Each structure stands twice: as C-alpha cells, then as structure tokens.
Amino acid sequence: MSNGLNLLLSGLIVIALCLSASASAKRQGTTWNYYHFNGQEFVAGQPGEGSFIAVRDGSLPVLLTEPAKVEAVALPAGKGAVAGISYIQSSGGKLGGRPGHVPASRAPVNIFSGNKLAKTVETDQLGYFTAVLDAGTYRIGTPPLAIEVVIKSGTTTLASLRSGKRMVD
Amino acid sequence: MKKFLLRLGLTATTSLVLASLACAGVLDEQYLARFGVATPTALQKAVALPTAVDSALPKCGTPDKHGLQRDWNKLEATTQKTLAKQLAAPVLTGTDSTKFTLISPSGRFTLHYTTAGGDAVPSILWVQTVAQTFDEVANAYISRGWRLAPTNSVDGRYHVYLRDLAPARLYGLTTSDASAASTGFLHAFSSFLEIDNNYTDSIYTDATGGPYTPLESLQITAAHEYHHAIQYGYNFFFDVWYAEATSTWQEAELYGNVGQNYNYIAGWLNNTTASLDLAVGTDATGTGAGYGRWIFNRYLAEQHGTGVIKTSWDRLATLDPPGNNADIRMVPVLETLLIGAPFNTSLGADFFGFTKRVYTRGWTNPTDENRVHLYVPVGTYSAYPVNSTASSPVPSITLPHYSFAYYKFRPAAIGDLTITVTKTSGIQTAVFKKTAGTISEIGTNAGAGSSYTIVGFGALNPATDEVVLLITNTTDADNHVASFSTDGTINPVTEPSTASTDGGGGGGGGCFIATAAYGSYLHPQVQVLRDFRDHVLLTNAPGRAFVALYYQLSPPVADFIARHESLRMLVRLMLAPLIFAVKYPLVLGGLLMVAAGASLYRVRRLTAIADSHAK
C-alpha cells in the first residue's frame, strides 16, 4: 500500500512538472514578453526604470516607457518584425564608472536584404526602431556599423545596433 | 453657387498645400544653413575664415539643436538624413548671441564656447590657452609619427566643445561621428571632443595625487582625449581597454610632470589576477582596467622603443572587424606584432618581463621608479611548511589569460627554503630574494624542474627581507594553474581546455542546449540560465571549468536536439526543475526542507510502529 502511494505521488509530481514545463515553454507565444536594453544587448524583463519592448508571437512589437496594458496589433500574414535600438556605446570613466549607452535619436536606419536596400526606418527620441519585414536574413545599419538578423514569419527579432562609440573619461 | 464653392475649396486647398510646401522648403534651407551644410557658398565662406577669434559668426557657434528637434518632423526626408548627425553634437548653454567659435593658431581646431550659462568659459584668454594646448598636443603627435584625427566637418577642422562637465564628473569625452575611410584606413571614423570649460572644480583640482592646476588638467585631458580622436582615425573597432591604456600612456609621454596617470596603477596591482585586457567596466580606476594598463605600454616602450605603441595601432588600422559590429581584440594583435620583426619576441615574454619588473622595478624613467605602485602579494606565508593541507591561502592558483600573482614568504628559522612548483604549460614562474633592499632572482634548481632553493632563508631579517614567488599566465588561454609547496609536495595540475578566450566574460553566446530546446536565444528561460552562468558559474574556477567543458561538448548535442521536436520538448521538461531552482533558490530550499522534514517524520513514525510491533 505504502509503495503504491509513493508511486502515485511520484507520478503526480512528474505530471505537474510536465504541465508546468509545457506551459512555460509555450509562454512565448501566448503572452507578452518584455525585454530591455542593458547597454550591450536586449535582456529579458522590465528595467527598474526606462523604456522596454513588449513582444509576442503574431503581434507587432510595442515600445513602452512604463508598465501598461498592451494592446495587440496583429502582424500582417507571412511577415515578421524587427524591434531594435540604435545606440552610441559609452565606455570609460576616470572619476567613476561611466559605461552605458546614448540613444541615437532620430537617425535613419537602413535595412538591407543582400545588397538591396529593403527599407529605411527612423529611430525615435530614445533610439528605438521597428520594421515589418518578409521572413529572411537582413543586414541592419550602414557598413561597417551593421548587424545581421534573421526574421521569422510571425515573430519579432530584437536587434541592438551600435551606431557609434564614445570614450568617456 | 455650387461651382463657386467648389472652386473656392479647391483654391484654398491648393494654397494651403503650396504654402506648406513653401514653408517646408524655407525651414529646410534655414536649418541646412544654420548647420553649415546648405550651399557651396556657405562652404566657401567657412573655409575662408581667418585664424582668429571669429566673433562675427555668432550664429555658427553651437547650433541650436533644440529647434531642430522640435521641427524635425516638418523637414523633408533628404534634409533629415543630412542633419541627423548634427543632433548628436553638443549643445552649449546660452543663446546664439553668446556662443562663439575660436580657431586655433595652427588652424587645426575649431573651439566652441559660450559666455553665458553653466558652460560659460572664465575668459577668452582661457579659450586661447585651450587652443594653444590642443595645437601643442597635435604637434607632439605629429612629431611622433601619428596620423592626426580625421574630420568630416565643413570647415575641415577638428571640433572641440567647452562645456561644464564637472557635474557629470568627467574630464572629457570623445564621440565618433561618421566614417572617414581612406586608403590604408578603411575603418577610420571622424569624431568630436568635449572638455570641461575651466577645470576649476575641486573634483579636478583635488583629485587623487593632486593638487592639480586647471592648466595641468587641461593638458592631460587634451593629450588623452585627442589621442582617442586619433584612435578613431586608425580603426573605429579598437579594443576599449587598449585605447584607454594608450591615451593614458600618452598623458605620461606628453605631460609626465602632471603625473596623474600613476594613480591608476594601484587598481591593477591590487587586482593582478584579472587579465591584461580586463573590460573597462563600472570601476575602471578601482580595478585598473584600461587606464592602469598604461604602465604595460611604458614597459613595451622601454623594451622596444616608443614606436612600438604606434606600430600596434598601425597594425590595427589594417584589420577588418570580426563581424556583426564587434570590436577587434587587441591581445592577438599585440601577439602577432611582437612575434614578428623587428621585435622578434612574444607578448608572453614581454608580459612575463613586465610582471617581473613590477617587483624588481628598475624603470628607466626616474619618475616611474618613485611613483609606480609597489607590488601587492595575493598571499603571505609566515608558517612553514607551506602545502595544500596546512596553509592559508591554499598554495595554488588558477589564472585567466595574461594575469599574474605574487606570493610572499616571510623569513623564519627553518634553514634553507625550497619552493617546488607544479604548473600547466602556460605558466611561467620566478623567485626573488630581497636582502637589505637588494633584489636578486633565484635560478631554478638543476635538473629538478621548477623548484627553487633559497640558501640561508632562515638567516634573513624578517623585518626587512623577504622571498617572493611570481606566477604568470603568459598565454591568451584562461585557467592555467600553478600549485606550490615548501615541503616537496607535488599537487597534480590539469591543462586547461582549449576553449577560446572571449575577453573575460560570458555575455554573448552559450547555453546552446537551452537555446535549442526553447527555440530562441532570447527566450526568458534561456536568459535565466545565461544569468546563472555569468553571475554564478563564471565567478569561480570550478564553474569556469564546467562552462568550458560544456562549451566543448554541447554544440553537436544542441544541433541534434534542435532538429527533433520531441527531443526539444523532453529537454524543456528536464530543464524546468533546473530553471525553477535557479530562479527561485529560496523557494526550492524551503521545499527541500519541507520534504526532508516529512521524510524524517515518516521514518520516525515507521520506526515507532516497528518498535511497538516488536514489543
């Protein structure tokens, strides 16, 4: 009887784990996920303060400056999106740490497919930009300051484009 | 009547459209003119400016960017494209009528300054001093063979902005502008520079090692920042730590009498187990990252002539970035440079030589001899024997690439001292004895590998004499190990894996299996594991070894997993408890304690039942 109970309990734990893992794995597609830029790359979660991006499969990415209810707008069928930031990397600090970034405000961002200019978008005041694109591989930025991203249909790819460098002392 | 109204409407609409178009054009022309990029006439005018204070051009001082930002959406696309980079240039306080420019006597620099608001300069005399100082710095760099900083400005001069930087606790900053590629300098960028408007604030005058006069602060800042401008002109993709090391070394070369650069060395010598190319992070002066490394440039210059530093930048200028907008690691550049003619040495040999110099001193420059910070041991022993079972700190160390550690042995009445070292292939060691202020290097014992005997150790004076062991990782590979004892005990060491160095951090890649399972590197669960790697595993030697092993083994496994949906599901299931544990360690701890308590209770209960049955 005792062995049977142990077996039953083990089974229940395994099922609970399976369900939670399955739900966790599916989270990306059904709920909004938040990412913020840490000066080098986008990382999961909302920042203590400052702007961040909400992404969800099948929806256009949304830039938020504070926690708020996000209204979903569907991505056009067969399209994907890129959401990113164009920034000036900031390094150094003789009198204290100054690493970080400065947004490249209101700057044009070129998006190339192969050697062909696919789209030009403009960053906002905080350096953010978004674009809806066909699935495929793109180069964002003007060489040599360019990065490569892969756009998948129905999803948003995050991109951090270093468009300058600042030595701070 | 209907016709009349229709025509009236059409006329009004057309007028409005025409008016708005006309206005847009005027606005565009206005801003293009204000930023000096409007017409060839404006360009010619700028080039013809005399080399003097240009008070006749108040409107061309610091452009009013606030207006440009406000009216941005009213401008045409082509105008926006032309003026976009102007938004990045600094804005001085005051109005257009208080903003001026001054062209340096050599004509190389345009200084932007204001006479109103927080950025106001103390006097025109000071601005002239700034101009002369920048000319002096540029001439010094020319005489040393450096290529001066390129510029994309309309007037062809390099632009310097005088601002109140004290509230931000900054000496100066140099920002890249736009590509200035030319033959031999394909990745060159132009830049502009900002410095403090007077350097009279106490953060400058009373800085460590001070007091410093405003002129001294200006001099070292001009030397430092303008060299960053030069560096952008060699290759935008320079490695930040070496840029700071070179600019700080230039402070010493041009204005050695100021001597502020010596303050940064302590940070390094207090943290010698960090790599030479430690990233310039939030506490660069505390760790000696970048700035403190200037003394290594001084060592290279003493060994190979001052031209070796410029040659390293010449080499960098010819290199393409590794891709995806990343910078070029400088360590391999130095390795390649030093191994070739005319240097015919290696970075490993020079780094080992430098680490010896940290103890032996004997710097050519007398100021260095007096002001370079003394060595700092990571461990000191007074009780003997020293071995892995009885001694603290444990006589063993794992070093990242190009790093070092000193251990000190205080004299004790034990007769001779023999230090036996076991080490991996990238480690080089040296032992020094200091007697009555005189330092001598002890050779290795004949035919006994790495063991050193200090004859008469017991007779040394504990108050003034000492023996030190230097352990240096002279390679670009992390996790080289050395272990030592004074009783002949030999502790086996394992060669590090050949996983490539990424400059000392996780940051970018990794977590291959989790990425394959969750389908995205950016998946929040993958981020949890990356954070665990960066903040827990990479902070200790066993963790780093595990990560290195994982990176070696996991890519083919991850590739296989990524191609099988059922496997991905299975791996997600397997990772779920791990992620939960990483994410909620306290909750997990609580659950484990509850489970342990329940088990204990159950065992006791079963024991009690068994006892009662036995009775």
Side-chain angles (χ1 to χ4, degrees), chain B residues 52-54 100-104 109-113 124 127-128 131:
Chain B
V53 179
D54 194 0
F100 304 94
T101 59
L102 182 143
I103 296 167
S104 72
F109 297 93
T110 297
L111 272 58
H112 298 258
Y113 67 97
I124 184 64
V127 185
Q128 286 168 342

Side-chain angles (χ1 to χ4, degrees), chain A residues 2 18 21 24-25 33 35 93-95 97-98 106 122 125 145-148 162 164-169, chain B residues 72 168-172 174-176 225 232 236 238 244 251 282 285 291 324-325 327 522 525 572 602:
Chain A
S2 176
C18 289
S24 166
N33 288 283
Y35 297 93
K94 276 184 170 185
L95 294 169
R98 290 288 184 285
R106 301 193 180 288
E122 186 189 296
Q125 194 65 30
L145 304 182
I147 54 170
E148 193 174 283
R162 181 176 65 161
K165 208 170 182 178
R166 171 173 287 179
M167 300 301 286
V168 179
D169 300 294
Chain B
W72 185 260
R169 298 181 62 80
L170 296 174
Y171 278 91
T174 313
T175 308
S176 67
E225 297 304 326
Y232 284 117
F236 171 90
F238 57 72
E244 294 296 10
E251 289 180 31
T282 51
T285 47
Y291 301 97
N324 232 24
N325 210 349
D327 289 334
L522 290 171
Q525 314 294 44
R572 287 200 294 263
R602 188 173 164 74

Side-chain angles (χ1 to χ4, degrees), chain B residues 152-167:
Chain B
N152 281 333
S153 65
V154 177
D155 62 7
R157 299 186 179 94
Y158 191 87
H159 285 237
V160 179
Y161 297 81
L162 278 64
R163 293 179 53 209
D164 181 16
L165 299 180

Side-chain angles (χ1 to χ4, degrees), chain B residues 438-609:
Chain B
T438 303
I439 294 170
S440 56
E441 184 169 353
I442 307 294
T444 52
N445 295 336
S450 292
S451 73
Y452 306 82
T453 297
I454 299 93
V455 178
F457 177 72
L460 296 177
N461 181 349
T464 57
D465 302 342
E466 64 185 18
V467 167
V468 297
L469 166 67
L470 164 65
I471 300 172
T472 305
N473 182 345
T474 57
T475 72
D476 198 21
D478 290 336
N479 300 319
H480 272 290
V481 186
S483 182
F484 56 92
S485 70
T486 63
D487 59 2
T489 312
I490 292 176
N491 294 307
V493 292
T494 309
E495 285 292 327
S497 69
T498 52
S500 63
T501 304
D502 67 1
C511 297
F512 301 112
I513 290 176
T515 304
Y518 286 100
S520 168
Y521 173 74
L522 290 171
H523 195 286
Q525 314 294 44
V526 182
Q527 179 64 39
V528 169
L529 293 174
R530 281 212 310 273
D531 287 346
F532 180 67
R533 175 200 63 191
D534 293 345
H535 301 138
V536 179
L537 292 178
L538 289 180
T539 58
N540 58 79
R544 283 195 293 271
F546 171 77
V547 171
L549 183 69
Y550 174 78
Y551 281 2
Q552 232 177 3
L553 301 178
S554 64
V557 181
D559 190 43
F560 185 75
I561 291 167
R563 283 184 275 118
H564 297 85
E565 188 54 42
S566 53
L567 262 179
R568 291 181 58 210
M569 178 67 182
L570 188 66
V571 174
R572 287 200 294 263
L573 290 174
M574 290 164 68
L575 286 173
L578 176 65
I579 291 167
F580 181 83
V582 169
K583 215 169 173 179
Y584 307 108
L586 289 177
V587 176
L588 182 80
L591 284 174
L592 285 174
M593 283 177 69
V594 168
S599 297
L600 197 65
Y601 172 74
R602 188 173 164 74
V603 167
R604 281 189 176 173
R605 193 159 168 257
L606 286 171
T607 311
I609 291 168

Side-chain angles (χ1 to χ4, degrees), chain B residues 234-288:
Chain B
Y234 274 68
N235 195 326
F236 171 90
F237 297 97
F238 57 72
D239 206 343
V240 169
W241 79 268
Y242 196 65
E244 294 296 10
T246 305
S247 278
T248 312
W249 173 71
Q250 294 289 15
E251 289 180 31
E253 290 291 300
L254 271 58
Y255 297 106
N257 58 310
V258 179
Q260 195 199 48
N261 46 304
Y262 291 100
N263 300 331
Y264 307 119
I265 298 174
W268 187 10
L269 298 191
N270 282 318
N271 298 278
T272 59
T273 57
S275 291
L276 174 66
D277 61 349
L278 177 68
V280 178
T282 51
D283 185 21
T285 47
T287 62

Side-chain angles (χ1 to χ4, degrees), chain B residues 132-212:
Chain B
Q132 285 160 4
T133 303
F134 271 91
D135 274 351
E136 185 176 87
V137 165
N139 286 333
Y141 288 139
I142 289 171
S143 69
R144 287 162 169 77
W146 291 89
R147 173 184 183 256
L148 293 187
T151 172
N152 281 333
S153 65
V154 177
D155 62 7
R157 299 186 179 94
Y158 191 87
H159 285 237
V160 179
Y161 297 81
L162 278 64
R163 293 179 53 209
D164 181 16
L165 299 180
R169 298 181 62 80
L170 296 174
Y171 278 91
L173 48 152
T174 313
T175 308
S176 67
D177 185 14
S179 174
S182 61
T183 307
F185 298 89
L186 291 179
H187 304 298
F189 265 61
S190 60
S191 58
F192 61 86
L193 202 155
E194 298 161 70
I195 61 168
D196 190 64
N197 56 339
N198 55 32
Y199 292 110
T200 55
D201 193 280
S202 61
I203 65 161
Y204 308 117
T205 57
D206 299 340
T208 310
Y212 301 99

